[in-house]
Amino acid sequence: KQLTAQGGQTIVPRSFQLSADATKALLYTNSKKVWRYPTRGDYWLLNLSTGQLKQLGKGRPESSLQFAKFSPDGNKVAYVSQHNIYVEDLASGEIKKVTDDNGTKKLINGTFDWVYEEEFFCRDGFRWSPDGKTIAYWQIDANQIRDYYMLNTTDSVYSRVIPVEYPKVGEPPSPARIGVVEI
């Protein structure tokens, strides 16, 4: 179903999830692929009682949010954006970055690099604790992984080189660790 936000923006959800009390819905839209799967996009909060729509992640780049999920009490939403995990308070709109190491293309919080996605089917790398006071997350350190160069010969008349961080056979994948942050 197509929805219209304040200001006239049209929202066409790709998927949705309900809060535990079924009073709110997270709508996922404007999706973009990360490697093979459309795991980046925009998220909107729909109040099912009032019909009010509110975009989450204000100030974050368009289509940059990943794996948004409600806290167990439904008062907050956590998501990954640009290799960091954020928590947004739904009442106040306050957004807090909860990973404090400034995730980068090579230091990845809450999601995975190409080899983990491709070979181990890992994408969503964080979970709320049952009491909503902490988030456990994977951190991938791809600093030692060299680029493997793929040649794209299908998207254009001219081929294009695409560097992909990929460990060759016999080399270890990116080291991973699990962290826990207090909200």
Side-chain angles (χ1 to χ4, degrees):
K1 179 181 176 181
Q2 182 173 303
L3 303 167
T4 305
Q6 287 180 338
Q9 185 172 359
T10 301
I11 308 300
V12 181
R14 179 181 176 92
S15 64
F16 71 93
Q17 61 180 287
L18 295 175
S19 59
D21 64 4
T23 62
K24 300 179 260 305
L26 273 179
L27 307 178
Y28 175 57
T29 186
N30 202 21
S31 64
K32 305 286 186 232
K33 284 185 178 182
V34 175
W35 308 114
R36 294 180 191 219
Y37 303 99
T39 57
R40 270 188 312 124
D42 295 324
Y43 284 88
W44 292 77
L45 177 69
L46 174 61
N47 182 316
L48 295 171
S49 302
T50 66
Q52 180 185 15
L53 273 171
K54 174 187 165 192
Q55 187 171 8
L56 299 179
K58 284 288 191 182
R60 306 295 321 143
E62 183 178 340
S63 294
S64 73
L65 276 54
Q66 296 181 274
F67 314 118
K69 51 187 78 85
F70 285 108
S71 61
D73 64 8
N75 293 326
K76 295 178 176 69
V77 170
Y79 47 80
V80 174
S81 179
Q82 297 181 305
H83 308 300
N84 282 297
I85 300 171
Y86 294 82
V87 172
E88 186 163 340
D89 184 283
L90 299 179
S92 70
E94 179 188 356
I95 299 171
K96 178 182 175 186
K97 182 172 73 166
V98 297
T99 48
D100 61 3
D101 53 25
N102 293 319
T104 65
K105 185 176 183 253
K106 295 283 193 173
L107 188 63
I108 303 163
N109 296 306
T111 188
F112 296 89
D113 66 358
W114 192 87
V115 75
Y116 279 88
E117 180 176 314
E118 178 67 19
E119 305 297 343
F120 304 124
F121 308 107
C122 297
R123 288 176 200 84
D124 181 355
F126 77 94
R127 301 288 182 273
W128 283 97
S129 64
D131 65 4
K133 294 181 180 177
T134 60
I135 289 177
Y137 68 99
W138 285 81
Q139 182 185 72
I140 306 298
D141 183 351
N143 280 298
Q144 301 304 312
I145 304 301
R146 294 179 50 196
D147 286 341
Y148 177 83
Y149 295 101
M150 295 178 25
L151 193 57
N152 181 339
T153 60
T154 60
D155 290 351
S156 170
V157 174
Y158 291 95
S159 60
R160 180 169 62 103
V161 174
I162 301 170
V164 177
E165 294 165 356
Y166 189 82
K168 297 291 285 181
V169 172
E171 294 184 14
S174 301
R177 66 183 185 165
I178 295 175
V180 176
V181 289
E182 291 196 22
I183 308 306

